Amino acid sequence: MHATDDTHRPELGSWVASANQPATDFPVQNLPFGVFSRVREGGPPRCGIAIGDSILDVSAAADLGLFGETELPAALACAEPRLNALMAMGANVVRALRAAVSRMLRDDTEEGKRAEAVAREILVRMHDAVMRLPAEIGDYTDFYASVHHATNVGSMFRPDNPLLPNYKWVPIGYHGRSSSIVVSGTPVRRPKGQTRNDPAGPISVGPSARLDYELEVGAFVGPGNTMGETIPIGEAASHLFGLCLVNDWSARDIQSWEYQPLGPFLAKSFATTISPWVVTLDALEPFRVAPAERAAGDPAPLAYLSGDDDRARGAFDITLEVWLSSESMRASNTPAMRVSRGRFVDMYWTLAQLLTHHASNGCPMRAGDLIASGTVSGPTPDSRGCLLERAWRGTEPLRLPTGEPRRFLEDGDEVTLRGWCERPGARRIGFGECRGVVAAAR
Amino acid sequence: MHATDDTHRPELGSWVASANQPATDFPVQNLPFGVFSRVREGGPPRCGIAIGDSILDVSAAADLGLFGETELPAALACAEPRLNALMAMGANVVRALRAAVSRMLRDDTEEGKRAEAVAREILVRMHDAVMRLPAEIGDYTDFYASVHHATNVGSMFRPDNPLLPNYKWVPIGYHGRSSSIVVSGTPVRRPKGQTRNDPAGPISVGPSARLDYELEVGAFVGPGNTMGETIPIGEAASHLFGLCLVNDWSARDIQSWEYQPLGPFLAKSFATTISPWVVTLDALEPFRVAPAERAAGDPAPLAYLSGDDDRARGAFDITLEVWLSSESMRASNTPAMRVSRGRFVDMYWTLAQLLTHHASNGCPMRAGDLIASGTVSGPTPDSRGCLLERAWRGTEPLRLPTGEPRRFLEDGDEVTLRGWCERPGARRIGFGECRGVVAAAR
């Protein structure tokens, strides 16, 4: 934890009352960044910070003189319709801005009193706002960092050879599609495509019959690296702005027919949903822990992927859940059903290792680039992060409260991802939700 | 050919004398778009059109009143530092602009006389300009559309299984990395990475020892599609703005170790070089031909990939070459050596099929997105488009004029791609060059 950063102290409260409720994802200890538009007044999107059930309009606060000279450039960058400029400013600048916002939203400071007096001008209720993508995502990369997921899926696609020889040496990843990343709440249309479910059978073209979600954590890149330069593992965390939730929707039937030899393509590129709030690494500081120990006999990470700080606290202790509700569940007011709960600490590679590996060939990372972890699956069946694993390729269908079976997603199904951090001695913080409803194919 | 478009007539000449030389890539029949900066005067990059050894500063011509009202909005969009806005305007708008520029640069028109009178204000010599990337490339996709390349490479990586069962049904492609696309002339640093040349041997980390080029053709997307919608094959050509040359630099040793199961990643993402001039589909109109016939026994393309127009003239008859010179060749003034010559008509899939397939799942394509063909290899050894194939995985090294052997690229090697179209009754047009020198690893 940073000596100068006291924004995590669990006893802090806010003059925004909803931020003090125990169940909120957004207490004053969190302060995640996002991009919003006001529903009624209209106007261009701008950057805000979540506090309870409201959003601090950062640049409105700047216009009212609520920031000091130090934080002013960063606060003014929040007038832009995306976080990229702020992300590029670096960890120290963002930390100072976030600390100033903390003082501004607390109930025990002079800054808080001044801000509360102009609350109507600087706060927007979340239900009066529409959230946008937090950044212009130049490049999106999806990794495969859960050894449990890789082993489960591998055993279905390649029973004789589930985990490939490179897995424990190379953080496996592939480039994803930026143009189809959408913010939570956007309907996701079932894709059509080529499939061949029986290797000797006919090829079909039509709506995917094996639509799936994937529970992932995404990391937004802060300051990037120059092309041809690398990012040493010890500096990786300072290149990460913050984390969000990612649903990497996948069409398993399209995937299994198209993916060799160049990897998943149309099975993924139809839609990827992310949560709108980006939780900074500073907010996650109290929840950094040592990564899970590797199994006996596994190779140690190679030197360029090994760092003292990463070994000591390279993982983030985030609990992650997937909730599912069918159209008939919602019609009958049946609450959504939790279909999995996993922990981000179960990943085989840390985010720092993923970023360092990504830049190890000199590939330039840019502020606003998104790196996703790959499906977060743990060692137990109920911690498996996709339906393919959860219902074991359709052979063990889930049973919804309405009695409906689920092998893969049906039209009208709503998938909601949630994530939060809690531990004794710290205030619980959350990610909000990452939600999407499946629309029928056209 | 469009009835209203007479820009191809072979007898047309230009008042820019260099455009009338037989060997130029940029006669008045071509008129490709690019983005340039003036070296001496400085100033922001803007869009221009190549003519002989010069560049027409389109928005400067607009400022001088040389465009009619119809073309003015498109001409003014050329004041931007990238072609994206123009690309989004669509084929009809670009066609009208290009036709106006044709009249402006011809030696037999009133418009030409007016333009020649202000030549100093609207023309920039190429050697007084620095070329930039032509567009902000939101997403970059690399296909694998040469069956000869796929078979050759497959037989090296999977001797028992060279061409996978999906190849003749699915246009295979993968998402590439946008951030490392650079314009011709940018040095390319040899990447470092993990390699394991012997499946049972140790893993190394260090500079790639198997650096390669790949000769490809790139297509810039014009107007895109809305997410969730598709692009029917009959409309695909109208969504393509124009073509360029692409060198998809590849580190074969990194690739073979990392690529399973999710495809190439760091083996490609360190650099991709493109030529600066985008040759419009209108300029290529006289060189559109029927695609190569599929071999007997091959499946016909599925319905969504079949179109009358595409069958009749979906291919582009472009001759493509790779030239190589080592540092010692350049030191001794030895001319570069041509290492391959192929034809773009030898591809298994047309560009329209690639685009239609790409959007068939509803993936949104955006103006400025880049789609590359994959390595252009033909049926004969001298038409193989990468060194891996040309020197057959190092077993048949090339011999340079200096006597130096080449299994893979060495530091200081300069790779230059060229492409052009010619046929009786049409004026030859070219793509300019796509060039890069290999810099030593850091």
Side-chain angles (χ1 to χ4, degrees):
Chain A
M1 217 171 303
H2 307 280
T4 55
D5 186 359
D6 71 348
T7 60
H8 315 110
R9 282 163 39 217
E11 68 275 18
L12 298 180
S14 174
W15 53 263
V16 181
S18 57
N20 302 324
Q21 294 180 356
T24 184
D25 277 348
F26 308 120
V28 75
Q29 288 82 358
N30 192 348
L31 306 178
F33 289 83
V35 172
F36 72 100
S37 301
R38 291 166 192 253
V39 175
R40 274 172 297 197
E41 297 89 337
R46 40 171 60 184
C47 305
I49 287 180
I51 179 75
D53 62 3
S54 295
I55 302 168
L56 174 71
D57 185 335
V58 179
S59 54
D63 292 343
L64 290 172
L66 296 182
F67 285 101
E69 228 172 272
T70 317
E71 305 90 41
L72 198 58
L76 290 174
C78 291
E80 295 195 15
R82 53 186 74 96
L83 286 163
N84 298 64
L86 186 68
M87 288 167 164
M89 288 177 170
N92 288 335
V93 170
V94 175
R95 182 169 303 135
L97 175 63
R98 189 172 160 280
V101 169
S102 170
R103 290 189 298 273
M104 191 183 296
L105 293 173
R106 278 163 53 179
D107 56 11
D108 62 346
T109 57
E110 281 309 309
E111 294 94 325
K113 289 194 183 70
R114 287 207 296 150
E116 189 174 6
V118 291
R120 297 170 60 110
E121 289 165 79
I122 60 173
L123 279 194
V124 182
R125 296 278 292 240
M126 283 185 184
H127 71 243
D128 294 331
V130 178
M131 297 305 295
R132 312 283 178 163
L133 281 182
E136 188 176 315
I137 299 166
D139 278 294
Y140 161 49
T141 305
D142 195 18
F143 281 93
Y144 197 55
S146 161
V147 69
H148 305 291
H149 172 70
T151 305
N152 288 337
V153 172
S155 72
M156 295 177 209
F157 284 82
R158 295 174 304 274
D160 49 331
N161 197 15
L163 200 66
L164 294 171
N166 55 13
Y167 188 86
K168 294 179 174 177
W169 299 93
V170 183
I172 298 292
Y174 67 100
H175 306 297
R177 179 86 192 173
S178 296
S179 72
S180 52
I181 299 177
V182 296
V183 74
S184 178
T186 309
V188 169
R189 189 165 298 283
R190 179 183 298 273
K192 292 195 279 194
Q194 279 191 43
T195 58
R196 183 184 223 174
N197 293 327
D198 173 357
I203 283 117
S204 310
V205 178
S208 168
R210 299 191 179 174
L211 186 62
D212 201 356
Y213 59 81
E214 288 192 335
L215 166 65
E216 306 198 9
V217 170
F220 277 100
V221 175
N225 59 307
T226 304
M227 186 163 168
E229 310 270 339
T230 61
I231 297 178
I233 184 87
E235 295 168 22
S238 69
H239 288 268
L240 293 175
F241 176 83
L243 310 188
C244 67
L245 305 176
V246 177
N247 184 345
D248 176 32
W249 305 90
S250 299
R252 301 303 184 186
D253 40 5
I254 296 174
Q255 186 176 355
S256 59
W257 173 230
E258 76 169 0
Y259 92 105
Q260 284 191 323
L262 301 186
F265 181 46
L266 301 192
K268 305 276 195 174
S269 63
F270 60 95
T272 305
T273 304
I274 68 174
S275 59
W277 294 109
V278 186
V279 179
T280 63
L281 259 59
D282 281 334
L284 291 162
E285 192 63 37
F287 308 100
R288 297 192 69 161
V289 295
E293 286 208 19
R294 294 187 158 202
D298 279 7
L302 293 170
Y304 77 100
L305 298 173
S306 299
D308 289 340
D309 186 67
D310 194 53
R311 253 190 308 277
R313 49 180 213 127
F316 296 87
D317 189 3
I318 306 170
T319 301
L320 296 159
E321 289 182 341
V322 182
W323 293 76
L324 180 61
S325 84
S326 67
E327 204 157 16
S328 64
M329 284 169 69
R330 295 196 300 285
S332 59
N333 281 321
T334 309
M337 173 176 137
R338 190 179 75 203
V339 291
S340 74
R341 174 183 281 188
R343 293 177 67 216
F344 194 47
V345 291
D346 282 331
M347 303 305 271
Y348 200 78
W349 300 103
T350 66
L351 290 171
Q353 287 172 322
L354 300 183
L355 183 68
T356 292
H357 180 66
H358 204 327
S360 65
N361 67 344
C363 176
M365 312 301 300
R366 297 175 291 193
D369 285 348
L370 182 64
I371 289 176
S373 62
T375 305
V376 181
S377 290
T380 59
D382 69 346
S383 64
R384 293 174 183 158
C386 65
L387 211 43
L388 177 71
E389 289 172 86
R390 202 69 190 83
W392 207 256
R393 208 176 196 175
T395 59
E396 301 169 15
L398 297 184
R399 186 69 59 179
L400 302 183
T402 43
E404 301 166 278
R406 276 299 176 276
R407 291 175 173 83
F408 291 98
L409 294 173
E410 301 288 337
D411 292 343
D413 280 359
E414 181 178 73
V415 178
T416 304
L417 313 183
R418 294 183 192 284
W420 70 88
C421 303
E422 57 186 343
R423 70 160 177 79
R427 180 66 159 90
R428 174 195 182 284
I429 61 171
F431 284 78
E433 63 180 30
C434 176
R435 189 174 53 80
V437 175
V438 177
R442 237 190 255 287
Chain B
M1 214 172 302
H2 307 282
T4 56
D5 187 357
D6 69 348
T7 60
H8 314 111
R9 282 164 39 217
E11 69 274 19
L12 298 180
S14 174
W15 54 263
V16 182
S18 57
N20 302 325
Q21 295 181 356
T24 184
D25 277 349
F26 308 120
V28 75
Q29 288 83 357
N30 192 348
L31 305 177
F33 288 84
V35 173
F36 71 98
S37 303
R38 292 168 192 252
V39 174
R40 274 173 297 194
E41 297 88 336
R46 41 170 60 183
C47 305
I49 287 181
I51 180 75
D53 62 3
S54 295
I55 302 168
L56 174 72
D57 185 336
V58 180
S59 55
D63 293 344
L64 290 173
L66 297 182
F67 285 102
E69 229 173 86
T70 318
E71 306 90 41
L72 197 59
L76 289 173
C78 291
E80 294 196 15
R82 54 185 75 96
L83 286 163
N84 298 66
L86 186 68
M87 288 167 165
M89 289 178 171
N92 289 336
V93 171
V94 175
R95 182 169 304 134
L97 175 63
R98 190 172 158 281
V101 169
S102 169
R103 290 189 298 274
M104 192 183 295
L105 293 173
R106 278 161 54 179
D107 56 10
D108 61 346
T109 58
E110 280 308 310
E111 295 95 322
K113 289 194 184 71
R114 285 209 296 149
E116 189 176 6
V118 291
R120 295 171 61 111
E121 289 166 78
I122 60 174
L123 279 194
V124 183
R125 296 280 291 241
M126 284 184 182
H127 71 244
D128 293 332
V130 177
M131 297 306 296
R132 312 283 179 163
L133 281 181
E136 188 174 315
I137 299 166
D139 278 294
Y140 161 49
T141 305
D142 195 17
F143 281 93
Y144 196 54
S146 160
V147 70
H148 306 290
H149 173 69
T151 306
N152 287 338
V153 172
S155 71
M156 295 178 210
F157 284 83
R158 297 173 304 275
D160 49 332
N161 196 16
L163 199 67
L164 294 170
N166 56 12
Y167 188 85
K168 293 179 175 176
W169 298 92
V170 183
I172 298 292
Y174 67 100
H175 306 297
R177 178 87 192 171
S178 296
S179 73
S180 51
I181 299 177
V182 295
V183 75
S184 178
T186 309
V188 168
R189 190 165 297 285
R190 178 183 298 274
K192 292 195 278 193
Q194 280 192 42
T195 58
R196 184 184 220 176
N197 292 329
D198 172 357
I203 283 115
S204 310
V205 178
S208 167
R210 299 190 179 175
L211 186 62
D212 201 356
Y213 58 82
E214 288 192 336
L215 166 66
E216 305 197 9
V217 170
F220 277 100
V221 175
N225 60 307
T226 304
M227 187 163 168
E229 311 269 341
T230 61
I231 297 178
I233 184 87
E235 295 169 22
S238 69
H239 288 269
L240 293 175
F241 176 83
L243 311 188
C244 67
L245 305 176
V246 177
N247 183 344
D248 176 32
W249 304 90
S250 300
R252 302 301 183 186
D253 41 5
I254 295 174
Q255 186 175 354
S256 60
W257 173 232
E258 77 170 359
Y259 92 105
Q260 285 191 324
L262 301 185
F265 181 46
L266 301 193
K268 305 275 195 175
S269 63
F270 60 96
T272 305
T273 304
I274 67 174
S275 58
W277 293 108
V278 187
V279 179
T280 63
L281 260 59
D282 280 334
L284 291 162
E285 190 63 38
F287 309 100
R288 297 190 70 163
V289 294
E293 288 210 18
R294 291 186 161 203
D298 279 8
L302 293 169
Y304 77 100
L305 297 174
S306 298
D308 289 339
D309 186 65
D310 194 51
R311 251 190 310 276
R313 47 179 216 128
F316 296 86
D317 189 3
I318 306 170
T319 301
L320 296 159
E321 291 183 340
V322 182
W323 294 76
L324 180 61
S325 83
S326 68
E327 204 157 16
S328 64
M329 284 168 70
R330 295 195 301 284
S332 60
N333 281 319
T334 308
M337 173 176 138
R338 191 179 75 203
V339 291
S340 73
R341 173 184 281 189
R343 293 178 67 215
F344 194 46
V345 291
D346 282 331
M347 304 305 272
Y348 199 78
W349 300 101
T350 65
L351 291 171
Q353 287 172 324
L354 301 182
L355 183 68
T356 291
H357 179 67
H358 204 327
S360 65
N361 67 345
C363 175
M365 313 301 299
R366 298 175 291 193
D369 286 349
L370 181 65
I371 290 176
S373 62
T375 305
V376 181
S377 289
T380 58
D382 69 345
S383 64
R384 293 172 182 157
C386 66
L387 211 43
L388 177 69
E389 289 172 85
R390 202 69 191 81
W392 208 257
R393 209 177 194 172
T395 59
E396 300 169 18
L398 297 184
R399 185 72 56 180
L400 302 183
T402 44
E404 300 166 278
R406 274 300 175 277
R407 292 175 173 82
F408 291 98
L409 294 173
E410 302 288 337
D411 292 345
D413 280 359
E414 181 178 72
V415 178
T416 303
L417 313 183
R418 297 184 191 283
W420 72 88
C421 302
E422 56 186 344
R423 71 160 175 79
R427 179 67 159 93
R428 176 194 182 281
I429 62 172
F431 284 77
E433 63 180 30
C434 177
R435 190 173 52 80
V437 175
V438 177
R442 238 191 254 289

